[in-house]
């Protein structure tokens, strides 16, 4: 059972929540609850497609059957794993930013328990993707990851986040993003495996570079040096 009360909305109510969430999130991008509401109220067709893909994948079916949660009581052992492992890299990512896996808002607007779980899973693996792709949590890093998330799930919220994020860039940030990170993100999202069908927790003990190769992950390029020619090699 996904914790948190879910609300069944009529069409006009769903549209109102989506518009209100979009405006609120644009005004204050730190409002994770508004971003989550926007993703749920605009993303049902996308989550339906992700669910069907998971049902066709052996590992995806295992996830749907066991319904693992990315919460501290379930992933805390990652902090005790060897430094070279995926789990340890995730722990370093979280610890260096004082993040907690328990901070994600609950799913509220999905119609079925199964879709609610898929929406929650997409939300909870976000930091795994940060770790795998080596992206920071600044505005450019989050926007680049939203490009990958859109390619992987086709969630309208991800596209809106990219548009909203780039609108808030300075001229220099916008130039760096579109010339340096955007081409990489398009390539990385297209080349990687179906990341919603990966049971990440069962790979914590594996070498980080090994799982990157196995899942077709292309880590983010380093930030461009001042006065360097910007570009991402193909």
């Amino acid at each position: 059972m996904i914790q948190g009360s879910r609300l069944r909305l009529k069409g006009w109510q769903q549209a109102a929540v989506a518009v209100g969430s979009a405006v609120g999130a644009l005004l204050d991008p730190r409002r994770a609850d508004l971003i989550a509401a926007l993703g749920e109220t605009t993303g049902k067709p996308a989550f339906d497609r992700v669910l069907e893909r998971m049902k066709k994948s052996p590992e995806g079916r295992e996830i749907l059957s066991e319904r693992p949660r990315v919460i501290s009581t379930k992933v805390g052992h990652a902090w005790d794993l060897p430094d070279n492992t995926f789990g340890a890299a995730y722990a370093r990512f979280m610890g260096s930013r004082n993040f907690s896996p328990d901070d994600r808002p609950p799913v509220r607007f999905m119609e079925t328990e199964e879709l609610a779980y898929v929406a929650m899973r997409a939300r909870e693996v976000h930091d795994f993707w940060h770790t795998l792709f080596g992206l920071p949590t600044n505005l450019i890093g989050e926007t680049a990851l939203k490009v990958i998330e859109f390619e992987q799930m086709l969630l309208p919220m991800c596209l809106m986040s990219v548009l909203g994020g780039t609108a808030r860039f300075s001229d220099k940030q916008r130039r760096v993003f579109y010339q340096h990170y955007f081409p990489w993100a398009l390539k990385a999202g297209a080349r990687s495996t179906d990341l919603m069908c990966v049971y990440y927790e069962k790979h914590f003990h594996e070498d980080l570079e090994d799982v990157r190769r196995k899942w077709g992950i292309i880590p983010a390029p380093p930030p461009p040096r001042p006065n360097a020619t910007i570009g991402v090699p193909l």
Side-chain angles (χ1 to χ4, degrees):
M1 177 102 180
I2 303 299
Q3 297 300 313
S5 58
R6 295 206 312 278
L7 305 175
R8 191 175 295 274
L9 302 179
K10 296 179 181 179
W12 69 268
Q13 293 172 317
Q14 196 169 43
V17 171
V19 171
S21 299
V23 172
L26 191 60
L27 294 174
D28 186 359
R30 295 168 297 181
R31 288 287 303 273
D33 57 329
L34 295 179
I35 294 172
L38 177 62
E40 293 171 36
T41 52
T42 62
K44 184 182 179 299
F47 286 127
D48 277 329
R49 291 190 293 268
V50 172
L51 175 60
E52 291 308 309
R53 295 204 315 263
M54 293 177 74
K55 287 179 176 179
K56 294 175 182 177
S57 160
E59 202 162 352
R61 288 195 298 271
E62 189 176 9
I63 295 168
L64 292 173
S65 174
E66 298 183 7
R67 294 192 180 183
R69 295 294 310 279
V70 185
I71 53 179
S72 56
T73 56
K74 301 295 184 181
V75 300
H77 64 287
W79 274 252
D80 300 322
L81 292 171
D83 287 345
N84 65 305
T85 61
F86 167 45
Y90 165 71
R92 285 193 299 272
F93 171 84
M94 299 294 283
S96 66
R97 294 163 173 80
N98 293 318
F99 287 175
S100 168
D102 302 326
D103 289 341
R104 298 289 176 190
V107 173
R108 301 175 59 200
F109 303 113
M110 288 289 104
E111 295 177 359
T112 68
E113 190 74 16
E114 199 169 38
L115 278 179
Y117 176 74
V118 172
M120 179 59 74
R121 182 68 176 174
R123 194 170 298 166
E124 290 183 343
V125 300
H126 177 84
D127 290 324
F128 292 157
W129 294 15
H130 264 293
T131 302
L132 289 165
F133 288 104
L135 281 167
T137 53
N138 56 24
L139 183 58
I140 287 180
E142 292 290 356
T143 304
L145 189 55
K146 282 290 180 281
V147 174
I148 295 173
E149 290 179 338
F150 180 73
E151 285 197 283
Q152 286 279 318
M153 295 183 283
L154 297 179
L155 282 169
M157 177 271 294
C158 296
L159 180 58
M160 287 185 271
S161 294
V162 172
L163 297 175
T166 54
R168 296 174 60 236
F169 286 165
S170 67
D171 289 342
K172 181 179 178 180
Q173 286 176 318
R174 189 173 296 108
R175 184 171 62 254
V176 169
F177 177 75
Y178 278 115
Q179 294 183 17
H180 191 67
Y181 288 101
F182 186 68
W184 161 79
L186 290 175
K187 180 180 176 182
R191 286 201 179 179
S192 58
T193 191
D194 189 341
L195 294 173
M196 282 299 292
C197 294
V198 175
Y199 203 145
Y200 298 96
E201 298 89 327
K202 293 196 173 183
H203 300 276
F204 271 5
H205 65 286
E206 297 179 32
D207 182 84
L208 175 62
E209 296 307 320
D210 286 347
V211 297
R212 280 173 169 165
R213 283 190 292 270
K214 177 163 56 178
W215 299 330
I217 301 293
I218 305 172
R225 300 186 306 277
N227 301 321
T229 300
I230 297 174
V232 178
L234 296 177

